[in-house]
Amino acid sequence: MTMNFSFDDSPAFAERVKQKIAEFNWQHWQGVERLPLGLKLEDDKGQLLAGLSGRSFGNWLLLDNFWVDPSLRGQGIGERMLNQAESIAKDRGCKWVLLDTLEFQARPFYQARGYRVEWTQEAYPSSGCKYFMVKAL
């Protein structure tokens, strides 16, 4: 039998592979809920001013994306949004939060709120650093 690999960089293919991994994983994680968590702040016209998205999964809140419009930074909006997400995670039974941030992003913001760098990915994507941070809730 000859096996030839074909090239497919489509989003649909990536989603199929992700689904196959999820199907396999659920055989080992039955009963562990993965729940989306999203918070947003919009102006009167529906323009996004701040947003946070992630998911709770067992003992963990996995914080995927967190953004505050530059004009609103330093006003406590990000801190309040993060606190609310952590509170929701605690209510869901989460004990820790995991996130990543790039060297030019928000590491000092997270450290000031109790997050610690667990691991640093050097040379990401070529000369920078990516920090994986954890906080106990």
Side-chain angles (χ1 to χ4, degrees), residues 53-73:
S53 66
R55 60 202 180 280
S56 58
F57 184 59
N59 291 320
W60 290 88
L61 169 60
L62 307 172
L63 183 56
D64 295 322
N65 299 290
F66 187 21
W67 174 81
V68 176
D69 187 271
S71 68
L72 298 177
R73 293 178 187 166

Side-chain angles (χ1 to χ4, degrees), residues 9-69:
D9 62 354
S10 69
F13 173 70
E15 189 59 35
R16 282 179 52 207
V17 174
K18 181 179 176 182
Q19 183 59 38
K20 292 294 184 184
I21 293 169
E23 289 170 10
F24 174 79
N25 290 350
W26 283 116
Q27 295 173 32
H28 303 278
W29 291 333
Q30 291 175 349
V32 179
E33 266 192 300
R34 182 177 297 201
L35 300 172
L37 194 158
L39 298 171
K40 64 182 176 180
L41 175 66
E42 297 177 322
D43 68 13
D44 296 337
K45 297 176 185 175
Q47 293 290 105
L48 186 64
L49 301 174
L52 180 150
S53 66
R55 60 202 180 280
S56 58
F57 184 59
N59 291 320
W60 290 88
L61 169 60
L62 307 172
L63 183 56
D64 295 322
N65 299 290
F66 187 21
W67 174 81
V68 176
D69 187 271

